[in-house]
Amino acid sequence: MASFLLRLFLLLFTSLISLPYSSPHEQQQQQQQQLFFPLSHSLANSHNTSVHHLLKLSAHRSNSRVQRHRRPRQVSLPLTSGSDYTLSLSLPPSPAVPLYMDTGSDLVWLPCAPFECILCENKPKPTTPPVSLPPSSRPVPCHSHLCSAAHSSLPSSDLCAIASCPLDSIETSSCSSSPCPRFYYAYGDGSLIASLHHAHVSLSSLLLPNFTFACAHSTLAEPVGVAGFGRGPLSLPAQLATLHPSLASRFSYCLVSHSFRPDRLLHPSPLILGRSSSPDTSSLSSSSSSSFVFAPLLHNPKHPYLYSLALDSISIGRSTIKSPSSLTSIDHRGNGGMAVDSGTTFTMLPTSMYSSLTDEFQRQMTANGFARAPEVEAETGLGPCYHYHGGNETKRVPLMELHFAGNAKVALPTRNYFMGWQRELKGVGCLMVMDGGDESEGGPAGTLGNFQQQGMEVVYDLEDRRIGFARRHCAALWDSLSRGG
């Protein structure tokens, strides 16, 4: 008996000393590998705007944004109030300013004092003043590769010549004293002139030393800056990669479902840097949480900042709409694919697929007893629309599922593609997908908008070149992260 107890003691002792040990310093490092920040929706302050007006505005701007991707030398543009998410960035000692978080562009720009915004009378007024450049900031030199990136890859020799560098300095690549020339960006309905600078900036508690950003003193119809999260060298993730690689390898966001109702935006949407591809979601309800499904990113030689996927098909109920070849691949001119974009409101599909989708959706809605509401279609720019009262009627709306390459199937919640609201004391509802035009015009063939991404955590895995989707209760995720869960 004594020998048995001795062997048992030795076994337990061996098991204990073999357990992995994490020192307080190692535990702190693990916690620092993931940081989260609040994304605020501009709808939170739109209490007096009707739903149909917001829908029409968002539909117009979604269409303008897609057309802009199809024009040369134009970058993606943040949408107006009512359709975008902002995060706060500060340039000490100036107070933090809100910037649109945009995965469809790779430039970080701020409104700088003195600041003039032309034709901004009907735009929402910024809640903070333009930033002032601190004395420690420095202009980006003309020979920098970042200067070339801001000027659509124009050679540094040309840029230094524009900056009045002597010829011998240009030939020896030693023109370090001349700043990068100001650059012009034209958008679908706005534009700006800006210059590149280095300075210490902070994203909440995260300090980013020697960060490169654009300072805009003059814009047309654009009063709010942008935090570009695209794949180019000027984006926030790309610059973060040189400072905090573990934070930059993956980021995710989880957009709180709102259905254009400000009262549903009491919680911010979490933006998570350094997100694990298999996070612990044990603190979340199993009914509103799932594992990630991943789709591989496509390479785009012309628009490298875009996050594009191959969309194979869309199922409506038991019917499947096959994608045209333009949605499943990107050609050598950079045309095709499905861009995943946090700055576009509604999903846009090429005309051929949109027509097939809406025809099938209308067929099933009619068979399920819904009556068409053409007057709502005229008011919102969306369609098809129906008389719809929600509640039990939701069960009669056909289910929609996106099928991406890599066997990634993303089932959308009904409210993500068919939204109901009250109009003149009557219930109506519309399909929240739009016609993106003829894919032969070039650029991305389709765009996955942020409205369809609500109630899901979307992770951008830059390390493994893929994007993942998982169902989440985003407000509960924010609460869990805030508690340290």
Side-chain angles (χ1 to χ4, degrees):
M1 182 66 178
S3 60
F4 171 76
L5 291 175
L6 179 60
R7 287 197 301 271
L8 181 61
F9 172 77
L10 290 174
L11 178 63
L12 290 172
F13 179 75
T14 303
S15 300
L16 286 172
I17 63 174
S18 63
L19 288 174
Y21 169 72
S22 296
S23 68
H25 175 68
E26 290 172 329
Q27 293 174 2
Q28 184 180 17
Q29 282 187 324
Q30 292 171 2
Q31 293 172 357
Q32 289 176 346
Q33 289 177 355
Q34 176 174 296
L35 293 176
F36 67 97
F37 306 91
L39 292 176
S40 301
H41 199 293
S42 51
L43 267 176
N45 298 317
S46 302
H47 298 285
N48 298 319
T49 307
S50 65
V51 170
H52 78 264
H53 175 75
L54 289 171
L55 291 174
K56 190 166 188 175
L57 177 64
S58 297
H60 171 72
R61 297 302 297 273
S62 295
N63 184 65
S64 297
R65 185 177 174 95
V66 167
Q67 298 306 318
R68 184 166 42 254
H69 279 305
R70 292 174 174 167
R71 299 171 188 163
R73 292 203 65 221
Q74 302 209 342
V75 298
S76 57
L77 174 71
L79 308 182
T80 60
S81 177
S83 55
D84 254 323
Y85 297 83
T86 62
L87 73 160
S88 293
L89 186 142
S90 62
L91 185 64
S94 295
V97 295
L99 302 178
Y100 287 115
M101 186 267 177
D102 183 15
T103 61
S105 67
D106 66 346
L107 178 69
V108 179
W109 72 267
L110 295 77
C112 294
F115 178 71
E116 178 188 26
C117 184
I118 306 168
L119 298 181
C120 280
E121 292 79 7
N122 297 322
K123 299 281 184 173
K125 294 183 178 179
T127 56
T128 57
V131 301
S132 297
L133 286 174
S136 59
S137 68
R138 297 173 294 106
V140 173
C142 62
H143 64 75
S144 168
H145 73 285
L146 296 177
C147 179
S148 179
H151 284 270
S152 302
S153 300
L154 195 67
S156 59
S157 55
D158 291 358
L159 295 170
C160 287
I162 295 171
S164 301
C165 286
L167 180 58
D168 58 340
S169 296
I170 295 176
E171 292 291 355
T172 57
S173 301
S174 60
C175 189
S176 59
S177 60
S178 295
C180 179
R182 294 191 305 165
F183 55 93
Y184 165 78
Y185 270 146
Y187 300 107
D189 55 358
S191 59
L192 63 91
I193 294 176
S195 54
L196 282 184
H197 295 266
H198 295 307
H200 295 339
V201 304
S202 61
L203 192 64
S204 185
S205 61
L206 181 64
L207 179 65
L208 303 174
N210 203 34
F211 188 82
T212 302
F213 62 94
C215 184
H217 293 283
S218 179
T219 67
L220 174 67
E222 297 305 329
V224 179
V226 185
F229 270 69
R231 302 166 75 182
L234 289 165
S235 73
L236 196 149
Q239 297 192 61
L240 190 63
T242 64
L243 302 169
H244 305 280
S246 63
L247 292 178
S249 59
R250 279 180 294 272
F251 70 89
S252 75
Y253 52 72
C254 193
L255 305 180
V256 174
S257 300
H258 59 77
S259 299
F260 287 91
R261 287 178 50 180
D263 61 312
R264 295 185 178 178
L265 293 167
L266 301 178
H267 285 77
S269 297
L271 166 68
I272 309 172
L273 302 182
R275 186 59 158 168
S276 169
S277 58
S278 54
D280 179 14
T281 58
S282 58
S283 61
L284 303 177
S285 169
S286 59
S287 61
S288 61
S289 182
S290 63
S291 300
F292 283 111
V293 293
F294 288 96
L297 283 167
L298 298 175
H299 172 66
N300 193 317
K302 185 177 180 180
H303 306 289
Y305 56 86
L306 290 176
Y307 298 99
S308 298
L309 304 176
L311 179 67
D312 292 335
S313 62
I314 298 178
S315 60
I316 300 291
R318 295 183 178 180
S319 299
T320 299
I321 312 297
K322 189 175 180 181
S323 299
S325 59
S326 60
L327 275 172
T328 62
S329 62
I330 296 176
D331 64 25
H332 68 279
R333 295 182 299 273
N335 302 323
M338 184 84 162
V340 183
D341 190 4
S342 67
T344 298
T345 309
F346 300 127
T347 290
M348 312 289 288
L349 295 173
T351 298
S352 59
M353 188 172 193
Y354 175 80
S355 298
S356 299
L357 181 77
T358 53
D359 287 347
E360 180 59 29
F361 187 79
Q362 182 177 337
R363 186 190 69 79
Q364 295 190 33
M365 289 290 282
T366 300
N368 290 345
F370 290 100
R372 195 82 174 261
E375 68 281 2
V376 180
E377 297 169 9
E379 287 181 356
T380 62
L382 296 167
C385 298
Y386 301 88
H387 296 287
Y388 169 77
H389 303 286
N392 291 331
E393 286 190 352
T394 305
K395 298 177 182 179
R396 293 192 282 127
V397 177
L399 300 178
M400 181 181 292
E401 188 173 62
L402 309 179
H403 300 243
F404 293 104
N407 198 31
K409 299 179 181 180
V410 181
L412 298 179
T414 303
R415 63 176 176 269
N416 282 26
Y417 60 90
F418 187 79
M419 193 190 89
W421 73 95
Q422 288 294 311
R423 175 187 176 274
E424 298 177 356
L425 303 179
K426 295 180 180 180
V428 294
C430 293
L431 180 67
M432 312 299 274
V433 178
M434 293 187 63
D435 183 352
D438 188 353
E439 61 263 39
S440 65
E441 295 177 5
T447 303
L448 182 63
N450 63 48
F451 193 86
Q452 279 65 47
Q453 298 176 48
Q454 295 177 95
M456 289 189 287
E457 184 177 0
V458 182
V459 61
Y460 294 71
D461 189 340
L462 309 185
E463 191 172 58
D464 292 326
R465 299 179 56 82
R466 59 184 186 168
I467 290 182
F469 303 88
R471 288 287 293 270
R472 294 281 188 270
H473 189 295
C474 296
L477 176 59
W478 173 264
D479 288 339
S480 174
L481 292 167
S482 300
R483 292 192 303 265

